[in-house]
Amino acid sequence: MDYNNSINYSSLLHLGIDILGIIILIFLLVWIINSIILYIAAKIINNNATFGKAMGATFIIPIVSFIVIRIFSFFNFIIIGYILAFILSLLIIKNQFEVGFGEALIIVILYILIIVGSIFALKNVLHYSINLQIIKNIPYSSNITNFINNFKL
């Protein structure tokens, strides 16, 4: 029997488990980062905002938005789906943080501003770290350098 052409299913299983672990880790990191940003935005408006409420909102909003947008895109009403998903997101924030509709809108605007500001800050940190050659020895750093230098917001 020729073992050189056989598939090692054990190593494929380990690779799959590793990939699943990375996906779960990325999900948790993104969820926590978004929760922190929403918590900061909500805390500016409402002193009763808690991190747990922010985590609940950042968990529920993408699920509800995904379902609504998928349903409306199936019927070729994708714009209505996005509008309805945005309104439902505002309602979730309104109920989660016990604020009015206008305050929920301000929380969303602050959330967006904080994310955009964070992206600009991260871009500048990466740009200066490349200029200082901190990440020069990282594999594919030339690709990262080209991407960051050509990135325009």
Side-chain angles (χ1 to χ4, degrees):
M1 182 177 232
D2 185 16
Y3 289 104
N4 292 334
N5 294 329
S6 65
I7 298 173
N8 187 351
Y9 292 107
S10 175
S11 63
L12 286 176
L13 178 64
H14 289 287
L15 178 65
I17 291 171
D18 290 345
I19 291 172
L20 180 63
I22 291 170
I23 290 171
I24 290 171
L25 181 66
I26 290 171
F27 168 78
L28 290 174
L29 285 173
V30 168
W31 183 28
I32 290 170
I33 290 168
N34 280 323
S35 297
I36 291 170
I37 294 170
L38 183 63
Y39 171 70
I40 292 169
K43 196 69 170 174
I44 292 171
I45 301 300
N46 183 5
N47 284 334
N48 296 328
T50 64
F51 184 67
K53 290 180 180 180
M55 288 190 78
T58 55
F59 186 79
I60 294 170
I61 289 173
I63 295 171
V64 170
S65 297
F66 176 79
I67 292 170
V68 169
I69 291 168
R70 282 290 172 190
I71 289 171
F72 279 89
S73 66
F74 181 74
F75 298 108
N76 288 329
F77 296 120
I78 194 160
I79 299 297
I80 295 172
Y82 277 107
I83 293 169
L84 186 59
F86 180 73
I87 292 170
L88 289 173
S89 298
L90 286 176
L91 288 174
I92 290 169
I93 289 174
K94 176 185 175 296
N95 291 330
Q96 196 74 353
F97 294 110
E98 299 167 1
V99 295
F101 196 75
E103 292 171 322
L105 182 62
I106 293 171
I107 289 172
V108 169
I109 292 169
L110 286 173
Y111 174 78
I112 292 169
L113 289 175
I114 292 170
I115 286 179
V116 169
S118 300
I119 290 171
F120 277 122
L122 182 62
K123 179 192 180 293
N124 288 331
V125 166
L126 289 174
H127 179 74
Y128 290 121
S129 66
I130 289 170
N131 286 342
L132 295 174
Q133 298 181 353
I134 292 173
I135 64 170
K136 184 178 180 180
N137 296 326
I138 297 176
Y140 305 108
S141 64
S142 62
N143 294 342
I144 297 169
T145 306
N146 291 336
F147 174 76
I148 291 172
N149 288 334
N150 294 325
F151 184 74
K152 306 250 187 302
L153 252 177

